Structure formats: structure tokens, C-alpha cells
């Protein structure tokens, strides 16, 4: 039986496990009506078992779930009183996104959220991370609350709760209100700290009675570097006037600075309004692994690079100041934290580290460069290239997951929640649906990354709180439009109903974690297990970069 063979409307998908055995899943279109009939009425929000499950092989109960973000899935960009965002403007500007694609409709989550919740239920998923669209709640970014927007998120939260799915809310996942951008340029102005804290306060007041798991800002290191450094994401600011109509040197650093202060200000309000909740910023962090582990110079270079990138945002959050490596490289360009700001950061620390991890690299010492400008590569000293995903910045390097969890634990001594981990599989844009559904590449990525995280917990004592796969659904992948599919559920963009299909990865994740949805089990187990330990993380690849994004992302 080959992966992707079709029987009627179904794809029979044999998925290989790390131990060599095979599980066979049946993949088909998600049918909301049939699902509703099978699921029946839930136990009711009050009667749900704890959303912290105990995954196979772990010591502790975890939050296990999938994640999305408002602009990437909601669509309905002019409905329900929603104001305009910087991503509306950016994606409507010719030349900024793949084939000029935008999030006007996205995957229509705004209208289809009930079906998508039922879909999660069929997989037994008990946790869902999503973001609020700031402009649905405050169309101008500040001022009058839009009751239609509030009603949408109330319905979403209440439907999730009734389905025994715990909401985990991100306040800001890159869709900044255009009205505020026009007023003062967003994250590069001190007014954003006040406005973000006021928006956060509104959200905590509106939803904090039911939602206890919150995130402030999604990956400042991504939106600051890509939006205000290279200019390849909204609002598209950079110093190169042939590509960006606005932007000055150092804005990316200012953006991180004000993001840290906005985060701490929101945490301060949160402690008052949701005293029984938890909150963190999410950070995109990769691992710099020494190219030559026997070379002291490479080991030191990798450590410097790791502190420079991994500590970029977390150092200020935990120490109230920039890390030494950042100070050495940027000098006067770094906005200084005043004593009051330092106190704000230290007095309003987050509850855990929310890690978003996709890719890593090898770092080595280059004697011709200043010591802090470390070179990196995706090829090992043995000449083995890391496998490249469909996204040019993403190289598969699973063993670095364990290294990274250990590095974070040693540096910050905090527990860690993995809030994003996932991959785009090569060729998914062009391949026929039947082949894309049986996504062994994505399954293998999850298997190896999760297995390395499990080793970090079991052998190294890392405190892991949970794991969210990115993403529940294929969606609008920012400047790459719909050309990259990170979903564990496939979207048929050519169908009028934006039909959802199970991919092998959604079924595998559900089955691997022992979830108990009506679609959690394989149809058959093969007995061809070869036994032995999990496969080591190596493989090849390594085409050159998609210039700006690659450069910025490889720094993570
Ligand atoms: C993350 C981001 C997500 C998604 C993912 C894959 O950095 O938070 O929105 O785009 O990368 O590129």
C-alpha cells in the first residue's frame, strides 16, 4: 500500500513510527453535519475533565493542543465592525505577498468556528491557542469597544468551553490597528505601551472570567525584525528606499524595547484583573549548535550566538536590561531601560517561558570577524545538510530541540510551554491533495521534535508544561500567502466551502498523545516494528536563502 492511495473519497495513509512500525490512518473530508450527529451534546462546560492531559511517556500532565492566529484564519476583514489592520494594508500593497494574496477571507474561521471546534473534538483536542484581533474589539485601537467583535469572541470562548476545549488567548499576533499605526507608527513609539496595556485591560475584563491562560505578544523578535528591520512583513519598514517607503535604522531595536515594556505593563494589569490566571509572552527561539563540538572556539562562538539571539527579548524580561552580547554589538543604538522601566520589568515577570521553536543551525568561529559576529551554517561538520522544509528559512534539526530546552532552563530556570512547533512540507503547494494529506514529512518532524522534548523532560529534568502544534489548519502564512501549508488539517482553497480534510499529522498527533476523539485511533497497526531507539536527528538539505526572511529567521 503506498502513501496517498485513494479508495473512493478516502486516502489510506500508512504512517511510519520512529521504531519502524506503521500505523494506518484513513483521511477524508471533515463533514460537520456527520460530526455533529456523532458527537452529540457535550457534558457542558462545568463538567469537563481537566484540559491538562498526561501524554504517553511523560511525568507530568501537559497542555496538548494546536494553535492559530486571527489574521491567518479569521477572514471577514470588513465584517462585524472590525477596523483595519497593518496586515490588510500591507497585503493589499502590490508586490508585498506571494501573488498578492491577503487575509480578507483566509480560511473563514470567523464564520466556520463552530465546525472547526467540532473538528477539534473529533480529534480529542482539549486545548486551543488563538489570538484576538485587536481591531475587532477596538476598531481604532483605542476608544469605543465594538460590541459585535466582543460578541464573536464570547461565542468562540463559550463554544470552546462547552466542547471541553480550553481557550489560550494571545492578545497580539501581528495584526496591529492601522489607525494607531497612522497616528504614531506602532511599536516604535512610547504611546504603544499605554495603548496596548489599555487594550489588554479591556480584554482581561471582557474574557478573564472564563479564560485563564493568556499570552501578551507573539514573537517580538519576528515582528520587529521582519516588520521594522528587513521590511518583508507589515508594516514594511526598512532603510532601503527601493523596497520600503518608510523606516529608519534602529527601529527594530526600538520595537523590541517598547514590546518588552508593553508586555510588562499588560502583566501588571493582568495580576489585578485575573489573579487566578497565567500569562507569558511567546518567543521565537532557535538553537546555535557548535559546528565543531571539539573546538573550544566554535563552542564559545555558538554560546555567544545563542545568548545574542535567544536572550534578545528574554534577558530584558528576566533581568530588566539587555544582555551583554546585545550591548556589545548595538552599543548606543539600544534604547536604555530607565530605573523605573527596569522595576516595571522585574516586578511584572511572566509565569513561564512560552517557546515557539521551528529551526536551528550550526555556529562557528570566524577569525576574520569581530567575535560577536558569528557565522552559521546548515551543514554539519560531516558534510550532512539539514533537511529544508517548504519554507526557505526552516531547516529540520530535531536534536537541537533538546539542547534548546536545556539552554533555556539553565539560563532562566523557568518552566517552559511549547506554544508553537511545526513545519511546511516540501512541494505541498503543487502536489495533488491525496499526496499532501498523507504528510509523512510533517509526521516525522513532529515525531523527532517531540521525542527530543520528551528526552529533555525525562533525562535532563526540564519542566515542560505542554505542547501546541502549529497549526490546527492550513492558513495565510504571512508574506508567503497560502503557498506554505503549516496545517495539520488541509484546506481545499478551490472549494467554495473551504473544505477541511484530515491530514495524517492531525491523526498521528491525536493518536500519539492518547487523545480520545472519535477520530483518534488508527484503522490498523502494522507489526513490522524493528524496535530500537528513536532515529537520530540529522538529514540533508540546504538551499540558499529567501534573502531577508531567511536571514532574520535564521537568527532565531
Ligand atoms: C511563527 C508565527 C506563526 C506562523 C509560523 C510559521 O513564527 O508565530 O504565525 O506563521 O511562524 O511560519
Amino acid at each position: 500500500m503506498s502513501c496517498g492511495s485513494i479508495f473512493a473519497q478516502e486516502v489510506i495513509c500508512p504512517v511510519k513510527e520512529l521504531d519502524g512500525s506503521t500505523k494506518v490512518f484513513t483521511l477524508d473530508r471533515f463533514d460537520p453535519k456527520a460530526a455533529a450527529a456523532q458527537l452529540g451534546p457535550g457534558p457542558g462546560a462545568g463538567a469537563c475533565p481537566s484540559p491538562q492531559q498526561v501524554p504517553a511517556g511523560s511525568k507530568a500532565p501537559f497542555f496538548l493542543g494546536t494553535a492559530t492566529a486571527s489574521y491567518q484564519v479569521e477572514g471577514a476583514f470588513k465584517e462585524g465592525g472590525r477596523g483595519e489592520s497593518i496586515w490588510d494594508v500591507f497585503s493589499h500593497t502590490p508586490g508585498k505577498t506571494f501573488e498578492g494574496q491577503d487575509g480578507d477571507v483566509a480560511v473563514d474561521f470567523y464564520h466556520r468556528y463552530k465546525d472547526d471546534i467540532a473538528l477539534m473534538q473529533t480529534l480529542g483536542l482539549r486545548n486551543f491557542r488563538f489570538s484576538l484581533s485587536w481591531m475587532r474589539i477596538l476598531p481604532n485601537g483605542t476608544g469605543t469597544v465594538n460590541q459585535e467583535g466582543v460578541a464573536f469572541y464570547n461565542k468562540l470562548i463559550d463554544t470552546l468551553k462547552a466542547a471541553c476545549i480550553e481557550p489560550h488567548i494571545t492578545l497580539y499576533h501581528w495584526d496591529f490597528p492601522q489607525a494607531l499605526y497612522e497616528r504614531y507608527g506602532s511599536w516604535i513609539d512610547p504611546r504603544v505601551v499605554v495603548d496596548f496595556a489599555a487594550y489588554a485591560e479591556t480584554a482581561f475584563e471582557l474574557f478573564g472570567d472564563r479564560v485563564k491562560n493568556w499570552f501578551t505578544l507573539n514573537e517580538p523578535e519576528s515582528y520587529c525584525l521582519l516588520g521594522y528591520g528587513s521590511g518583508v512583513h507589515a508594516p514594511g519598514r526598512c532603510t532601503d528606499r527601493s523596497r520600503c517607503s518608510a523606516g529608519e535604522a534602529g527601529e527594530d531595536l526600538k520595537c523590541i524595547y517598547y514590546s518588552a515594556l508593553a508586555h510588562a505593563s499588560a502583566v501588571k494589569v493582568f495580576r489585578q484583573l485575573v489573579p487566578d490566571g497565567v500569562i507569558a509572552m511567546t518567543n521565537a527561539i532557535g538553537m546555535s549548535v557548535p559546528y565543531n563540538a571539539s573546538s573550544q572556539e566554535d563552542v564559545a562562538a555558538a554560546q555567544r550566538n545563542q545568548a545574542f539571539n535567544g536572550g534578545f527579548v528574554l534577558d530584558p524580561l528576566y533581568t530588566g536590561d539587555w544582555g551583554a552580547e546585545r550591548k556589545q554589538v548595538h552599543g548606543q543604538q539600544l534604547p536604555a531601560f530607565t530605573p523605573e522601566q527596569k522595576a516595571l520589568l522585574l516586578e511584572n515577570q511572566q509565569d513561564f517561558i512560552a517557546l515557539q521553536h521551528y529551526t536551528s543551525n550550526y555556529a562557528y568561529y570566524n577569525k576574520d570577524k569581530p567575535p560577536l559576529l558569528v557565522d552559521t551554517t546548515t551543514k554539519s561538520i560531516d558534510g550532512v545538510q539539514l533537511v529544508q522544509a517548504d519554507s526557505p528559512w526552516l531547516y529540520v534539526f530535531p536534536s537541537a530541540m533538546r539542547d534548546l530546552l536545556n539552554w533555556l532552563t539553565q539560563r532562566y530556570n523557568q518552566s517552559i510551554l511549547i506554544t508553537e512547533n511545526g513545519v511546511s512540507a516540501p512541494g505541498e503547494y503543487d502536489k495533488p491533495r491525496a499526496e499532501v494529506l498523507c504528510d509523512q514529512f510533517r509526521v516525522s518532524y513532529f515525531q523527532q521534535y517531540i521525542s527530543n522534548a520528551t528526552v529533555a523532560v525525562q533525562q535532563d529534568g526540564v519542566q515542560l508544561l505542554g505542547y501546541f502544534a502549529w497549526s490546527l489548519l492550513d492558513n495565510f502564512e504571512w508574506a508567503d500567502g497560502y503557498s506554505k501549508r503549516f496545517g495539520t488539517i488541509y484546506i481545499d482553497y478551490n472549494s467554495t466551502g473551504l473544505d477541511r480534510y484530515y491530514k495524517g499529522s492531525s491523526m498521528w498527533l491525536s493518536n500519539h498523545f492518547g487523545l480520545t476523539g472519535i477520530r483518534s485511533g488508527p484503522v490498523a497497526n502494522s507489526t513490522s516494528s524493528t524496535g530500537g531507539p528513536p532515529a537520530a536527528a540529522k538529514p540533508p538539505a540546504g538551499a540558499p536563502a529567501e534573502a531577508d526572511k531567511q536571514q532574520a529567521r535564521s537568527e532565531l
Side-chain angles (χ1 to χ4, degrees), residues 69 72 173-174 218-219 222 284 356 358 393 420 470 477-478 486 549 553:
Q72 295 182 276
H173 199 130
W174 304 2
N218 184 73
E219 300 184 356
S222 299
Q356 321 226 122
Y358 289 88
W393 52 269
E420 282 185 26
W470 182 269
E477 174 54 12
W478 307 114
F486 275 83
K549 185 167 183 186
R553 297 299 293 252

mmCIF file of all heavy atoms in Angstrom, residues 69 72 173-174 218-219 222 284 356 358 393 420 470 477-478 486 549 553, ligand 1:
data_model
loop_
_atom_site.group_PDB
_atom_site.id
_atom_site.type_symbol
_atom_site.label_atom_id
_atom_site.label_comp_id
_atom_site.label_asym_id
_atom_site.label_seq_id
_atom_site.Cartn_x
_atom_site.Cartn_y
_atom_site.Cartn_z
ATOM 1 N N ALA A 69 -3.835 31.995 14.573
ATOM 2 C CA ALA A 69 -3.765 33.441 14.855
ATOM 3 C C ALA A 69 -4.838 34.146 14.030
ATOM 4 O O ALA A 69 -5.146 33.726 12.902
ATOM 5 C CB ALA A 69 -2.395 33.989 14.486
ATOM 6 N N GLN A 72 -4.428 35.124 10.314
ATOM 7 C CA GLN A 72 -4.111 33.973 9.469
ATOM 8 C C GLN A 72 -5.328 33.087 9.183
ATOM 9 O O GLN A 72 -5.319 32.330 8.219
ATOM 10 C CB GLN A 72 -2.993 33.149 10.113
ATOM 11 C CG GLN A 72 -1.682 33.918 10.182
ATOM 12 C CD GLN A 72 -0.557 33.102 10.782
ATOM 13 O OE1 GLN A 72 -0.416 33.039 11.998
ATOM 14 N NE2 GLN A 72 0.254 32.480 9.951
ATOM 15 N N HIS A 173 -1.061 39.044 17.802
ATOM 16 C CA HIS A 173 -0.320 38.177 16.884
ATOM 17 C C HIS A 173 -0.209 38.894 15.529
ATOM 18 O O HIS A 173 -0.766 38.469 14.528
ATOM 19 C CB HIS A 173 -1.017 36.813 16.760
ATOM 20 C CG HIS A 173 -0.144 35.721 16.217
ATOM 21 N ND1 HIS A 173 -0.010 34.486 16.825
ATOM 22 C CD2 HIS A 173 0.654 35.658 15.119
ATOM 23 C CE1 HIS A 173 0.807 33.717 16.125
ATOM 24 N NE2 HIS A 173 1.226 34.410 15.065
ATOM 25 N N TRP A 174 0.433 40.059 15.563
ATOM 26 C CA TRP A 174 0.948 40.771 14.394
ATOM 27 C C TRP A 174 -0.037 41.668 13.638
ATOM 28 O O TRP A 174 0.360 42.432 12.766
ATOM 29 C CB TRP A 174 1.620 39.804 13.401
ATOM 30 C CG TRP A 174 2.731 38.993 14.014
ATOM 31 C CD1 TRP A 174 3.159 39.010 15.319
ATOM 32 C CD2 TRP A 174 3.565 38.034 13.359
ATOM 33 N NE1 TRP A 174 4.191 38.133 15.502
ATOM 34 C CE2 TRP A 174 4.462 37.503 14.322
ATOM 35 C CE3 TRP A 174 3.633 37.570 12.036
ATOM 36 C CZ2 TRP A 174 5.418 36.533 13.999
ATOM 37 C CZ3 TRP A 174 4.583 36.602 11.719
ATOM 38 C CH2 TRP A 174 5.466 36.092 12.695
ATOM 39 N N ASN A 218 2.994 38.000 20.510
ATOM 40 C CA ASN A 218 3.557 36.859 19.807
ATOM 41 C C ASN A 218 4.862 37.240 19.122
ATOM 42 O O ASN A 218 4.871 38.049 18.189
ATOM 43 C CB ASN A 218 2.576 36.344 18.746
ATOM 44 C CG ASN A 218 3.097 35.085 18.062
ATOM 45 O OD1 ASN A 218 3.104 34.025 18.668
ATOM 46 N ND2 ASN A 218 3.572 35.214 16.833
ATOM 47 N N GLU A 219 5.962 36.698 19.627
ATOM 48 C CA GLU A 219 7.272 36.796 18.970
ATOM 49 C C GLU A 219 7.693 38.207 18.560
ATOM 50 O O GLU A 219 7.809 38.498 17.370
ATOM 51 C CB GLU A 219 7.309 35.927 17.711
ATOM 52 C CG GLU A 219 7.064 34.468 17.931
ATOM 53 C CD GLU A 219 7.204 33.663 16.634
ATOM 54 O OE1 GLU A 219 7.421 34.270 15.571
ATOM 55 O OE2 GLU A 219 7.100 32.434 16.699
ATOM 56 N N SER A 222 10.257 38.350 15.896
ATOM 57 C CA SER A 222 9.854 38.182 14.488
ATOM 58 C C SER A 222 9.230 39.463 13.946
ATOM 59 O O SER A 222 9.671 39.990 12.921
ATOM 60 C CB SER A 222 8.848 37.035 14.337
ATOM 61 O OG SER A 222 9.416 35.826 14.754
ATOM 62 N N ALA A 284 10.146 33.396 19.663
ATOM 63 C CA ALA A 284 10.679 32.508 18.633
ATOM 64 C C ALA A 284 12.170 32.325 18.885
ATOM 65 O O ALA A 284 12.939 33.277 18.752
ATOM 66 C CB ALA A 284 10.465 33.117 17.255
ATOM 67 N N GLN A 356 8.394 29.172 21.023
ATOM 68 C CA GLN A 356 7.980 28.817 19.660
ATOM 69 C C GLN A 356 9.260 28.401 18.944
ATOM 70 O O GLN A 356 10.179 29.205 18.776
ATOM 71 C CB GLN A 356 7.318 29.997 18.987
ATOM 72 C CG GLN A 356 6.439 30.769 19.981
ATOM 73 C CD GLN A 356 5.073 31.136 19.483
ATOM 74 O OE1 GLN A 356 4.091 30.750 20.102
ATOM 75 N NE2 GLN A 356 4.975 31.867 18.417
ATOM 76 N N TYR A 358 11.099 26.270 15.706
ATOM 77 C CA TYR A 358 10.966 25.657 14.390
ATOM 78 C C TYR A 358 12.285 25.130 13.862
ATOM 79 O O TYR A 358 12.354 24.055 13.318
ATOM 80 C CB TYR A 358 10.422 26.684 13.384
ATOM 81 C CG TYR A 358 8.975 27.048 13.608
ATOM 82 C CD1 TYR A 358 8.625 28.076 14.477
ATOM 83 C CD2 TYR A 358 7.958 26.361 12.965
ATOM 84 C CE1 TYR A 358 7.297 28.404 14.692
ATOM 85 C CE2 TYR A 358 6.626 26.674 13.171
ATOM 86 C CZ TYR A 358 6.302 27.703 14.043
ATOM 87 O OH TYR A 358 4.993 28.010 14.257
ATOM 88 N N TRP A 393 13.403 29.331 5.215
ATOM 89 C CA TRP A 393 14.119 29.622 6.466
ATOM 90 C C TRP A 393 14.098 28.446 7.434
ATOM 91 O O TRP A 393 14.730 28.502 8.480
ATOM 92 C CB TRP A 393 13.499 30.848 7.157
ATOM 93 C CG TRP A 393 12.008 30.744 7.345
ATOM 94 C CD1 TRP A 393 11.051 31.185 6.473
ATOM 95 C CD2 TRP A 393 11.309 30.146 8.439
ATOM 96 N NE1 TRP A 393 9.792 30.896 6.968
ATOM 97 C CE2 TRP A 393 9.924 30.264 8.173
ATOM 98 C CE3 TRP A 393 11.705 29.522 9.626
ATOM 99 C CZ2 TRP A 393 8.941 29.791 9.030
ATOM 100 C CZ3 TRP A 393 10.721 29.050 10.492
ATOM 101 C CH2 TRP A 393 9.357 29.177 10.189
ATOM 102 N N GLU A 420 4.364 26.879 19.982
ATOM 103 C CA GLU A 420 4.319 26.610 18.541
ATOM 104 C C GLU A 420 5.477 25.698 18.180
ATOM 105 O O GLU A 420 6.606 25.900 18.659
ATOM 106 C CB GLU A 420 4.450 27.894 17.698
ATOM 107 C CG GLU A 420 3.194 28.715 17.618
ATOM 108 C CD GLU A 420 3.335 29.919 16.685
ATOM 109 O OE1 GLU A 420 4.167 29.885 15.749
ATOM 110 O OE2 GLU A 420 2.607 30.902 16.909
ATOM 111 N N TRP A 470 1.810 23.920 15.664
ATOM 112 C CA TRP A 470 1.407 24.933 14.691
ATOM 113 C C TRP A 470 1.272 24.240 13.361
ATOM 114 O O TRP A 470 2.255 23.731 12.868
ATOM 115 C CB TRP A 470 2.447 26.060 14.571
ATOM 116 C CG TRP A 470 1.982 27.104 13.596
ATOM 117 C CD1 TRP A 470 2.233 27.154 12.262
ATOM 118 C CD2 TRP A 470 1.130 28.223 13.896
ATOM 119 N NE1 TRP A 470 1.599 28.222 11.687
ATOM 120 C CE2 TRP A 470 0.912 28.889 12.660
ATOM 121 C CE3 TRP A 470 0.507 28.708 15.048
ATOM 122 C CZ2 TRP A 470 0.109 30.033 12.576
ATOM 123 C CZ3 TRP A 470 -0.276 29.843 14.947
ATOM 124 C CH2 TRP A 470 -0.469 30.493 13.723
ATOM 125 N N GLU A 477 -0.023 32.276 5.409
ATOM 126 C CA GLU A 477 1.317 32.240 6.001
ATOM 127 C C GLU A 477 2.058 33.553 5.678
ATOM 128 O O GLU A 477 3.064 33.590 5.002
ATOM 129 C CB GLU A 477 2.047 30.989 5.495
ATOM 130 C CG GLU A 477 3.503 30.803 5.874
ATOM 131 C CD GLU A 477 3.836 30.852 7.369
ATOM 132 O OE1 GLU A 477 2.936 30.808 8.222
ATOM 133 O OE2 GLU A 477 5.030 30.958 7.656
ATOM 134 N N TRP A 478 1.484 34.653 6.135
ATOM 135 C CA TRP A 478 2.099 35.979 6.046
ATOM 136 C C TRP A 478 2.556 36.297 4.624
ATOM 137 O O TRP A 478 1.767 36.121 3.703
ATOM 138 C CB TRP A 478 3.221 36.087 7.091
ATOM 139 C CG TRP A 478 2.720 35.716 8.475
ATOM 140 C CD1 TRP A 478 3.090 34.634 9.233
ATOM 141 C CD2 TRP A 478 1.695 36.385 9.252
ATOM 142 N NE1 TRP A 478 2.387 34.608 10.417
ATOM 143 C CE2 TRP A 478 1.527 35.667 10.468
ATOM 144 C CE3 TRP A 478 0.922 37.527 9.047
ATOM 145 C CZ2 TRP A 478 0.619 36.051 11.452
ATOM 146 C CZ3 TRP A 478 0.020 37.917 10.035
ATOM 147 C CH2 TRP A 478 -0.118 37.183 11.211
ATOM 148 N N PHE A 486 1.159 24.990 6.805
ATOM 149 C CA PHE A 486 1.635 24.509 8.106
ATOM 150 C C PHE A 486 0.553 23.726 8.855
ATOM 151 O O PHE A 486 0.774 23.276 9.974
ATOM 152 C CB PHE A 486 2.069 25.701 8.981
ATOM 153 C CG PHE A 486 3.488 26.160 8.750
ATOM 154 C CD1 PHE A 486 3.793 27.026 7.708
ATOM 155 C CD2 PHE A 486 4.529 25.721 9.566
ATOM 156 C CE1 PHE A 486 5.099 27.459 7.480
ATOM 157 C CE2 PHE A 486 5.837 26.150 9.356
ATOM 158 C CZ PHE A 486 6.118 27.023 8.315
ATOM 159 N N LYS A 549 13.843 37.161 4.757
ATOM 160 C CA LYS A 549 13.145 36.377 5.761
ATOM 161 C C LYS A 549 14.096 35.329 6.311
ATOM 162 O O LYS A 549 14.218 35.131 7.508
ATOM 163 C CB LYS A 549 11.905 35.709 5.162
ATOM 164 C CG LYS A 549 11.124 34.994 6.241
ATOM 165 C CD LYS A 549 9.765 34.572 5.811
ATOM 166 C CE LYS A 549 9.053 33.940 7.006
ATOM 167 N NZ LYS A 549 7.791 33.357 6.708
ATOM 168 N N ARG A 553 15.038 34.954 10.103
ATOM 169 C CA ARG A 553 14.573 33.778 10.787
ATOM 170 C C ARG A 553 15.729 32.912 11.255
ATOM 171 O O ARG A 553 15.645 32.277 12.279
ATOM 172 C CB ARG A 553 13.646 32.939 9.880
ATOM 173 C CG ARG A 553 12.380 33.665 9.471
ATOM 174 C CD ARG A 553 11.532 34.046 10.666
ATOM 175 N NE ARG A 553 10.982 32.915 11.341
ATOM 176 C CZ ARG A 553 9.697 32.563 11.310
ATOM 177 N NH1 ARG A 553 8.839 33.246 10.626
ATOM 178 N NH2 ARG A 553 9.272 31.533 11.990
HETATM 179 C C1 LIG B 1 5.542 31.678 13.681
HETATM 180 C C2 LIG B 1 4.317 32.566 13.724
HETATM 181 C C3 LIG B 1 3.122 31.923 13.103
HETATM 182 C C4 LIG B 1 3.436 31.151 11.821
HETATM 183 C C5 LIG B 1 4.670 30.290 11.995
HETATM 184 C C6 LIG B 1 5.135 29.584 10.725
HETATM 185 O O1 LIG B 1 6.689 32.410 13.901
HETATM 186 O O2 LIG B 1 4.011 32.891 15.054
HETATM 187 O O3 LIG B 1 2.152 32.911 12.891
HETATM 188 O O4 LIG B 1 3.484 31.956 10.747
HETATM 189 O O5 LIG B 1 5.741 31.068 12.454
HETATM 190 O O6 LIG B 1 5.866 30.453 9.918
#
